[in-house]
Amino acid sequence: YSMAMPPSGPDFRDKVVKTVREVLAEMGLQEVFEIKTECPSPHGSLIREQGRKVDVALLDRKGRPYLFLECKWQSVSGSAQDKLFRAVEEARRDRLFGVHSVVVVGGEGFASAIKRWALTEGLIHESFLKDWLREFFKR
């Protein structure tokens, strides 16, 4: 019997990075993209008048942003739920600037109504991430 600690936000981000690496390798794209964590966004923040760091960024060979993945983990009810709304707006803005951008959610702490809203807004639940990435990178 293991008393493992539940994942935290950084642990969840690392899990997302691992999944991205696996899919890129599986599809022969590991040399096409560089993966960066806590990557400064060239677009700044829509909501706050300051810079913004993206949890996971895939950069093309010229170092330009290609795909942003914001990671939101919620193990118990709390503030990450509120941050989802801001993350969705930031992702929309990234797409207006030509960078593919999505929010990946995980954990059991999101209320069912929030989970439904998130999925209808195009957010990706961690359980679908691998399949989503395979479809996204299909050539």
Side-chain angles (χ1 to χ4, degrees):
Y1 178 71
S2 170
M3 293 290 291
M5 294 291 292
S8 65
D11 294 334
F12 182 54
R13 183 190 64 217
D14 293 344
K15 185 178 176 183
V16 168
V17 167
K18 182 177 183 250
T19 301
V20 170
R21 278 200 169 97
E22 287 172 7
V23 171
L24 290 178
E26 169 187 311
M27 300 185 82
L29 297 172
Q30 65 271 32
E31 300 300 320
V32 176
F33 298 102
E34 176 185 2
I35 301 170
K36 286 199 165 209
T37 59
E38 294 293 311
C39 182
S41 168
H43 313 136
S45 173
L46 169 72
I47 296 147
R48 299 169 295 161
E49 292 184 8
Q50 59 187 5
R52 171 176 150 242
K53 289 186 179 177
V54 178
D55 290 320
V56 181
L58 276 74
L59 308 178
D60 68 14
R61 287 186 176 144
K62 295 182 180 180
R64 295 178 302 215
Y66 184 77
L67 173 63
F68 287 162
L69 298 164
E70 283 294 339
C71 305
K72 297 296 176 201
W73 176 263
Q74 183 88 10
S75 55
V76 295
S77 182
S79 66
Q81 201 160 274
D82 300 329
K83 294 175 186 171
L84 274 182
F85 299 104
R86 184 174 74 212
V88 166
E89 290 306 312
E90 299 282 17
R92 279 190 184 122
R93 183 167 186 249
D94 292 333
R95 291 190 297 271
L96 288 173
F97 282 109
V99 178
H100 305 293
S101 185
V102 294
V103 181
V104 182
V105 295
E108 298 301 317
F110 293 106
S112 336
I114 295 294
K115 278 197 261 191
R116 280 191 298 277
W117 170 83
L119 292 172
T120 60
E121 286 294 314
L123 283 75
I124 302 162
H125 189 273
E126 65 175 317
S127 60
F128 304 119
L129 181 59
K130 194 172 271 191
D131 287 334
W132 186 91
L133 289 166
R134 286 175 179 139
E135 284 298 315
F136 179 79
F137 286 112
K138 203 178 261 184
R139 296 183 184 252

